[in-house]
Amino acid sequence: MSAFKYRSLTDLKRVLDIIVNKRLYGAKYLSLNDPMEGQFQFNLNEDFTQENLQKLFDARAKARICSLSRKLDDNEIPNNGILWSMYADEHRGCCIEVIADDSNWHKEDVYYSKFPPIVNNTSVKLSDILSIKFNQWDYEKEVRYINTDPKTPYMKVKIKAVYLGCRVDKEDVEFYTSLIKSIDKKITVRQIKRDELNWIR
């Protein structure tokens, strides 16, 4: 299943890097927008020692995370009005539909909770911690690709489509469409219409 990456077009170089090089950047957890990212409670005991805790801290610092919005079915388009507003320059940006194509990154559907995870034994994996977010973020319907031993910060992807925001003017739509098609004719390019937007998901 493909997924959506909302982007601003003000930094066109970053958008073109995705399309030309067919890759997405994976961030470290401290650079993500939620200050509670990767936080957890823990109970030190004979099954979870200070040494185990430090290993978990070190693994968390090393890991890379690529965050996208889940595509819930084959016919879904990126019509989440809140995500367009927050991550795509208030509907003046774009949304790139991608398919992960990199075995070094493993998929985790994000689970939304009122409480942080509790670690009290070594069976809890780093991905269990990095795939939990607080409830207020559930509108994002996030899916994450995590690389716990990254040799590069980039995840390889296939580009399926590029959707332009409803506030992108006609001339720019024509320009971006021509530009993207000149890179790869197989990529679908179209503009999202205002009446397609959904503010409750």
Side-chain angles (χ1 to χ4, degrees):
M1 183 69 73
S2 53
F4 300 126
K5 185 68 174 179
Y6 291 83
R7 300 293 311 171
S8 169
L9 286 166
T10 55
D11 189 349
L12 186 56
K13 180 180 178 180
R14 292 186 68 181
V15 173
L16 290 178
D17 182 70
I18 297 171
I19 297 169
V20 172
N21 295 310
K22 295 179 171 51
R23 64 185 188 178
L24 285 175
Y25 179 78
K28 292 187 175 182
Y29 90 98
L30 280 177
S31 66
L32 301 175
N33 60 0
D34 179 3
M36 297 305 293
E37 286 285 356
Q39 300 299 307
F40 57 92
Q41 297 176 353
F42 58 88
N43 295 319
L44 294 178
N45 54 61
E46 61 181 20
D47 294 321
F48 189 71
T49 65
Q50 183 68 44
E51 182 181 357
N52 298 137
L53 176 62
Q54 188 58 53
K55 287 181 180 178
L56 198 53
F57 284 155
D58 293 344
R60 184 181 63 177
K62 182 180 180 182
R64 292 275 179 173
I65 304 163
C66 189
S67 300
L68 301 101
S69 181
R70 289 199 301 271
K71 182 171 180 173
L72 302 179
D73 63 65
D74 288 337
N75 297 318
E76 185 184 12
I77 60 171
N79 63 352
N80 187 317
I82 299 174
L83 295 185
W84 277 105
S85 293
M86 290 186 64
Y87 299 117
D89 194 22
E90 299 177 351
H91 303 261
R92 297 178 181 87
C94 69
C95 181
I96 305 171
E97 183 176 350
V98 303
I99 300 171
D101 190 29
D102 197 325
S103 60
N104 295 313
W105 298 70
H106 62 274
K107 177 185 175 184
E108 295 286 345
D109 286 331
V110 171
Y111 170 74
Y112 299 94
S113 173
K114 294 180 180 179
F115 309 103
I118 298 174
V119 180
N120 55 21
N121 61 69
T122 55
S123 67
V124 178
K125 297 178 293 185
L126 179 64
S127 57
D128 297 327
I129 295 168
L130 294 178
S131 60
I132 294 180
K133 294 186 73 169
F134 282 102
N135 278 346
Q136 63 261 38
W137 298 99
D138 65 353
Y139 64 87
E140 293 187 334
K141 308 300 180 194
E142 188 174 339
V143 60
R144 290 185 159 175
Y145 288 87
I146 301 173
N147 190 335
T148 55
D149 188 25
K151 303 297 188 293
T152 170
Y154 294 101
M155 178 178 75
K156 298 174 185 175
V157 296
K158 295 177 180 177
I159 311 295
K160 188 173 181 181
V162 177
Y163 299 86
L164 300 168
C166 65
R167 285 183 171 172
V168 178
D169 65 42
K170 183 179 178 180
E171 287 186 3
D172 285 343
V173 169
E174 293 174 354
F175 169 76
Y176 291 126
T177 300
S178 297
L179 179 60
I180 294 166
K181 288 292 188 180
S182 71
I183 297 168
D184 188 342
K185 291 183 174 62
K186 295 179 182 178
I187 298 175
T188 299
V189 185
R190 84 165 181 88
Q191 187 173 28
I192 292 291
K193 300 174 182 176
R194 290 176 187 271
D195 60 9
E196 291 178 314
L197 292 172
N198 180 12
W199 295 92
I200 301 175
R201 191 180 181 193

